Amino acid sequence: MNTIRSTKAIAAWSRSLHREGVTIGFVPTMGALHDGHRSLIRAARLACDAVAVSIFVNPTQFAPTEDLSKYPRQLRHDQALCRREGVDVVFAPTVKAMYPEGAHTTVTVPALARRWEGEARPHHFQGVATVVTKLLSLVQPDIAWFGQKDYQQAMVVRQLVADLNLPGRIVVHPTVREADGLALSSRNVYLTQQERQAAPVLYRALQAGASAIRTGERRGAAIQRLMIRTVAREPLARVDYLAVCHPTTLEPLATIERHAVLLGVIRIGTVRLLDNLLVTARHRS
Amino acid sequence: MNTIRSTKAIAAWSRSLHREGVTIGFVPTMGALHDGHRSLIRAARLACDAVAVSIFVNPTQFAPTEDLSKYPRQLRHDQALCRREGVDVVFAPTVKAMYPEGAHTTVTVPALARRWEGEARPHHFQGVATVVTKLLSLVQPDIAWFGQKDYQQAMVVRQLVADLNLPGRIVVHPTVREADGLALSSRNVYLTQQERQAAPVLYRALQAGASAIRTGERRGAAIQRLMIRTVAREPLARVDYLAVCHPTTLEPLATIERHAVLLGVIRIGTVRLLDNLLVTARHRS
């Protein structure tokens, strides 16, 4: 397995493979790889001839007040995981390689990025959209995998790939969870032991919402109240937002017609936890 | 020569050629092709194995008050010119193919796009940057040619290609002029006969500036005044801006150290005419 540092070298690697008719699967990450990433890598390994994983803690998607400097970095460990999983190339550029002096072009997906995480983190999705455009343009994958845990991010990426005619198909891969339901995230390491025990309340709240929909509830507001009440029972948790949304536009739904996504973010201590569930309302027979 | 209408088909064409090791030269245009475009096509024909020309009057780079609806469209004539010049593919998508319902991702190059044309036409360069990103991503050229006449546009494109790691090298090709110095432009057809006779004053003004630099003038303000005075002698012409700028940042220069670009836009009747000259101040011996 090769680790590539320069943008020119990764572009050349991709070009040479495409010239041979080799298909490329791509898993973009910020490193601190866990079983969620592993599951994306395995999906890529199964579907494509060659697999590239990028490891880049993208500064432009962090606000100055956020955790950029303390975000977990463990390249050696990540390289070892990639090697075990049969990854062909780890692309781990420096910040300077990705953002040379004078670079200032930005990619924006205004409608999809406005709500939810976009409200909480105003420049976040512009940073994501810009770096994903760069990465896809460099790696030129046939397929790229994104985790469902960051659902809005995955929708922003789908939209920008379609809108800018970027290469590759975007696959959104199911969230991997701990035994108690907590969605895997590199930020879970920030939780104290006590907070960790409280954290699964988010998944329980989303499940309560999904279960209400299964038993016939269609009113967005009622489902939202139920989810909020579930989180309220956990004293360490505060709701950032819990919402019943259209699965592609992410607009709140007054009434569920058929498909919906339950989006949730809570804070436990200083940690923001994200999760979501896709639900389909079935007609009762 | 093929005319391709769909984004999928042009991407497939490009992929199949790259798989064969064929190099692709690309000339993006808004059609109404003239000898300026012909000169870009010939440069592409000489440098690359295959040549694609896009013909697309991009609505997102026009303001509602501008000439989108009356912009000259003459696909048959353009196809014939391309055929004669040995173009392999004309890519002439519909607006709906380029901007399907719901598309809303935009590319912005804020610092370079702020001044000059960006001031006169606030959303212009965002439209240009977005469509060029799409076209380069679809065609995946080895080299793409842009005319020097639209100098700021060429610099915006260079910047976004570098910043977003888009495929291809950008070549800026010298302006082609009429015998009297008027830069070729598809919008020259808007000029009445009398206005057409007045139009070369812009080139004369730029030449006066360049000539002052050759004879030792280094003060930006003095060169600017000279250019403005030259245009003032033509009663049909009004100055939009005439400026002495750094050739890559496009910031105004108080003093010319070595390289500069003289940027000029005048209005004659309702028509805005653009032109520019690159100049190098030589040390006197």
Side-chain angles (χ1 to χ4, degrees):
Chain A
M1 189 194 73
N2 271 333
T3 298
I4 289 180
R5 290 290 194 168
S6 93
T7 55
K8 275 194 183 164
I10 189 72
W13 175 81
S14 167
R15 258 198 314 277
S16 71
L17 263 60
H18 281 310
R19 213 170 290 135
E20 309 277 320
V22 171
T23 60
I24 298 176
F26 179 41
V27 180
T29 82
M30 298 211 301
L33 302 183
H34 51 60
D35 279 351
H37 299 109
R38 194 196 305 269
S39 133
L40 302 177
I41 293 169
R42 287 183 177 177
R45 189 65 283 167
L46 278 167
C48 293
D49 301 326
V51 174
V53 171
S54 66
I55 296 179
F56 181 62
V57 182
N58 175 37
T60 68
Q61 70 192 67
F62 289 79
T65 54
E66 290 177 357
D67 59 342
L68 173 61
S69 63
K70 72 165 183 168
Y71 195 88
R73 287 165 172 87
Q74 43 178 50
L75 184 59
R76 288 275 172 81
H77 163 275
D78 293 343
Q79 285 171 313
L81 184 149
C82 287
R83 193 174 296 111
R84 283 197 305 276
E85 296 298 332
V87 168
D88 298 276
V89 156
V90 165
F91 176 50
T94 61
V95 172
K96 216 178 160 68
M98 289 295 275
Y99 300 107
E101 211 191 306
H104 68 284
T105 304
T106 55
V107 178
T108 318
V109 191
L112 259 177
R114 198 180 60 236
R115 284 183 185 279
W116 316 123
E117 286 308 278
E119 247 166 84
R121 310 178 68 187
H123 298 287
H124 175 64
F125 284 123
Q126 180 171 296
V128 169
T130 304
V131 81
V132 168
T133 301
K134 289 167 65 67
L135 289 169
L136 293 177
S137 194
L138 285 166
V139 176
Q140 299 275 330
D142 294 270
I143 314 180
W145 278 263
F146 288 80
Q148 188 188 321
K149 201 215 72 184
D150 296 297
Y151 187 84
Q152 189 176 7
Q153 169 177 282
M155 293 303 105
V156 165
V157 168
R158 271 221 170 128
Q159 186 75 41
L160 81 90
V161 167
D163 289 356
L164 298 183
N165 305 104
L166 296 182
R169 190 157 60 84
I170 302 302
V171 174
V172 182
H173 198 73
T175 303
V176 177
R177 302 176 181 286
E178 304 283 2
D180 59 9
L182 176 65
L184 296 197
S185 162
S186 305
R187 288 188 170 100
N188 291 351
V189 299
Y190 299 155
L191 296 166
T192 66
Q193 212 175 343
Q194 198 189 10
E195 290 168 346
R196 171 63 190 82
Q197 276 167 22
V201 72
L202 175 54
Y203 183 55
R204 284 203 307 278
L206 297 171
Q207 279 189 309
S211 153
I213 294 165
R214 268 197 300 278
T215 57
E217 183 60 76
R218 295 289 177 271
R219 296 163 304 162
I223 299 158
Q224 186 184 34
R225 273 196 306 275
L226 177 64
M227 296 192 293
I228 290 172
R229 276 204 307 273
T230 309
V231 172
R233 285 196 289 271
E234 171 49 65
L236 289 183
R238 279 173 307 141
V239 172
D240 238 38
Y241 57 83
L242 281 159
V244 182
C245 301
H246 187 282
T248 57
T249 67
L250 304 186
E251 296 295 318
L253 290 176
T255 309
I256 299 180
E257 300 288 344
R258 186 141 173 75
H259 301 290
V261 61
L262 307 182
L263 293 180
V265 176
I266 64 172
R267 282 173 201 265
I268 295 196
T270 59
V271 188
R272 289 179 85 240
L273 297 174
L274 279 73
D275 203 350
N276 66 86
L277 283 180
L278 280 166
V279 289
T280 300
R282 296 187 197 289
H283 297 286
R284 278 160 296 168
S285 54
Chain B
M1 188 194 75
N2 271 332
T3 298
I4 288 180
R5 290 289 195 169
S6 93
T7 54
K8 275 193 182 167
I10 189 74
W13 174 80
S14 166
R15 258 198 313 277
S16 71
L17 261 60
H18 281 310
R19 214 170 289 137
E20 310 277 322
V22 171
T23 60
I24 298 176
F26 179 40
V27 180
T29 81
M30 299 212 300
L33 303 183
H34 51 60
D35 280 352
H37 299 108
R38 195 196 305 271
S39 131
L40 302 177
I41 293 169
R42 287 182 178 178
R45 187 66 284 168
L46 278 167
C48 293
D49 301 326
V51 174
V53 172
S54 66
I55 296 179
F56 181 62
V57 182
N58 175 37
T60 68
Q61 70 192 67
F62 288 79
T65 53
E66 290 177 356
D67 58 342
L68 173 62
S69 62
K70 73 164 184 169
Y71 195 87
R73 286 166 173 86
Q74 44 178 50
L75 185 58
R76 289 276 171 79
H77 164 275
D78 292 343
Q79 284 171 313
L81 184 149
C82 287
R83 193 174 295 112
R84 282 197 305 277
E85 295 297 332
V87 168
D88 297 275
V89 157
V90 165
F91 176 49
T94 61
V95 171
K96 218 182 157 65
M98 289 295 276
Y99 300 106
E101 212 190 305
H104 69 283
T105 305
T106 53
V107 178
T108 317
V109 191
L112 261 178
R114 198 180 61 235
R115 283 181 186 279
W116 315 122
E117 284 310 279
E119 246 165 82
R121 310 178 68 187
H123 298 288
H124 175 65
F125 284 123
Q126 180 172 296
V128 169
T130 304
V131 82
V132 168
T133 301
K134 289 167 66 66
L135 289 169
L136 292 177
S137 194
L138 286 166
V139 175
Q140 300 275 330
D142 293 270
I143 315 179
W145 278 263
F146 288 80
Q148 188 189 322
K149 201 215 71 181
D150 297 296
Y151 188 84
Q152 190 177 5
Q153 169 177 282
M155 292 304 103
V156 165
V157 168
R158 272 223 169 128
Q159 186 75 41
L160 81 90
V161 166
D163 289 357
L164 299 182
N165 305 103
L166 296 182
R169 190 157 60 86
I170 302 301
V171 175
V172 182
H173 198 73
T175 303
V176 177
R177 301 176 182 283
E178 304 282 4
D180 59 8
L182 176 65
L184 295 197
S185 162
S186 303
R187 288 189 169 99
N188 290 350
V189 299
Y190 299 156
L191 296 167
T192 65
Q193 214 175 340
Q194 199 189 11
E195 289 168 349
R196 172 64 190 81
Q197 277 168 20
V201 72
L202 175 54
Y203 183 55
R204 283 203 307 276
L206 297 171
Q207 279 189 309
S211 153
I213 295 165
R214 267 196 301 278
T215 56
E217 183 60 76
R218 294 288 178 273
R219 297 163 302 161
I223 299 158
Q224 186 185 34
R225 272 196 307 275
L226 176 65
M227 296 193 292
I228 290 173
R229 276 204 309 273
T230 309
V231 172
R233 285 196 289 270
E234 171 49 64
L236 290 182
R238 279 174 307 141
V239 172
D240 238 38
Y241 58 83
L242 281 159
V244 182
C245 301
H246 187 281
T248 58
T249 67
L250 305 186
E251 296 294 319
L253 290 176
T255 308
I256 299 180
E257 299 288 344
R258 186 140 173 77
H259 302 289
V261 61
L262 308 181
L263 292 180
V265 176
I266 64 171
R267 283 174 201 264
I268 295 196
T270 58
V271 188
R272 289 179 85 241
L273 298 175
L274 281 72
D275 203 349
N276 66 86
L277 282 180
L278 281 165
V279 288
T280 300
R282 294 186 200 289
H283 297 283
R284 278 160 295 169
S285 52

